[in-house]
Amino acid sequence: MKTRQTDLWGAISRYGTFPFLILFSFVMLAPVYIMFKISVSEPQDILTQNPPFLIENFTFDHWVRVFEAGNLWAPLLKSFMVASVATLIAIAIAAPAAYVISLMPKAYRYGIILSLLFTRMFPDVGIALPISVNFIRWDLTDSYVGLILAHLIPNLPFLAWILVGTFETIPRELEKAALIDGASRWGALQRVVFPIAAPGIAVGAMFVWLNSWNEFTYALYLTYTENTLPLQTYYYVSRGDWFQSAAYSMILTIPVIIVTFFLQRYMKSGFLSGSVKG
């Protein structure tokens, strides 16, 4: 009887996941499709009481107007540079710190992680103003350096938390074996620990890059002349131009897809498979 119930629940969980996955995919992809549709549709297909679900009159005119306006490449370059440099600096700071924290006794480790997350309990919109006041005093406003430093403030605690969990899963026997074989401490970290931690580091890098790429609040406070791409998109949204703002939003999405595709290769499972056998 128990076996029959187990088989029934197994079949339900096995086949019941497909409708859930389809529904989840539709909910996630529908806004992206609507945004893409607006960016490539004629105005008469959108500005109507009952717009069709499918694209009827395809056009690239809105994209062409965005490219010809001449105010795309500078915000795109600024967002890409700030997000990429902020990610590299965050990994360089958080990875060694997270490794050291992961070696601490459990009680100290828990207290440090809790203090890291405590810094994220304050909303960005609340702390952006005092940060911008200090950055004005230090002449860091409207600069790449100021924006990168501002983006590190919310991302470093979460990244350190993610990487502490990653380093905790790595067996210490691997590092000890490398030291016994004659490797230095740095050599063991470089050749054993960090390669095994690559999937977690990739997840953390993707987290920081996406947060920095989409960041709006600090950019609004610290940018005066040259907008980032989210600010530029907001500029067109506030003007009520649906079609160019949809085109800007699609351009904002394309680098996210490219970076996610690039980093997903480092997130393969099974990195520890068989590493502690023998």
Side-chain angles (χ1 to χ4, degrees):
M1 184 65 182
K2 188 174 181 180
T3 304
R4 184 178 298 176
Q5 287 181 343
T6 304
D7 293 341
L8 178 62
W9 281 113
I12 292 174
S13 61
R14 189 165 53 252
Y15 296 108
T17 53
F18 290 106
F20 176 76
L21 288 176
I22 292 173
L23 178 63
F24 181 77
S25 301
F26 177 79
V27 171
M28 296 299 295
L29 294 178
V32 180
Y33 168 72
I34 292 172
M35 184 172 65
F36 174 73
K37 177 191 169 187
I38 294 174
S39 72
V40 295
S41 293
E42 294 287 353
Q44 64 269 21
D45 295 336
I46 302 299
L47 302 176
T48 178
Q49 190 171 4
N50 297 305
F53 182 74
L54 299 177
I55 302 171
E56 293 188 346
N57 297 303
F58 196 93
T59 178
F60 269 124
D61 288 350
H62 313 305
W63 288 64
V64 171
R65 285 213 303 272
V66 166
F67 283 109
E68 289 180 346
N71 50 12
L72 169 67
W73 300 112
L76 179 65
L77 177 64
K78 186 172 187 178
S79 289
F80 185 79
M81 289 296 295
V82 169
S84 301
V85 174
T87 302
L88 292 176
I89 294 175
I91 292 292
I93 295 174
Y99 172 74
V100 173
I101 295 172
S102 70
L103 297 178
M104 292 181 175
K106 193 172 182 178
Y108 295 105
R109 194 189 319 157
Y110 177 75
I112 291 175
I113 292 174
L114 202 62
S115 63
L116 288 174
L117 295 179
F118 178 77
T119 62
R120 292 301 306 128
M121 292 181 182
F122 305 100
D124 290 339
V125 69
I127 60 176
L129 180 59
I131 288 174
S132 64
V133 170
N134 283 302
F135 278 22
I136 290 172
R137 193 179 304 162
W138 300 334
D139 197 21
L140 289 175
T141 55
D142 211 18
S143 68
Y144 281 49
V145 175
L147 212 51
I148 290 168
L149 291 176
H151 287 190
L152 288 175
I153 294 171
N155 286 312
L156 271 177
F158 271 127
L159 179 61
W161 176 57
I162 292 172
L163 294 183
V164 167
T166 298
F167 287 118
E168 283 179 343
T169 62
I170 299 175
R172 298 296 171 211
E173 291 79 3
L174 295 176
E175 188 178 352
K176 291 177 182 176
L179 294 174
I180 292 172
D181 290 341
S184 62
R185 192 61 180 262
W186 172 246
L189 289 173
Q190 188 179 11
R191 295 170 188 168
V192 177
V193 176
F194 286 121
I196 296 175
I201 295 175
V203 171
M206 187 183 300
F207 173 83
V208 175
W209 196 91
L210 293 179
N211 278 347
S212 182
W213 176 257
N214 295 318
E215 204 283 328
F216 182 82
T217 305
Y218 290 105
L220 183 64
Y221 275 90
L222 299 174
T223 301
Y224 301 137
T225 56
E226 187 179 278
N227 289 336
T228 60
L229 200 53
L231 279 182
Q232 191 70 14
T233 305
Y234 172 74
Y235 169 72
Y236 280 97
V237 172
S238 61
R239 288 177 54 194
D241 191 331
W242 289 12
F243 303 98
Q244 289 198 43
S245 61
Y248 266 105
S249 299
M250 287 307 302
I251 295 170
L252 189 65
T253 306
I254 291 172
V256 174
I257 298 172
I258 295 173
V259 170
T260 304
F261 178 79
F262 175 75
L263 290 178
Q264 58 84 27
R265 69 181 66 180
Y266 297 102
M267 294 190 290
K268 297 174 182 175
S269 60
F271 269 60
L272 291 177
S273 176
S275 58
V276 293
K277 293 181 180 178

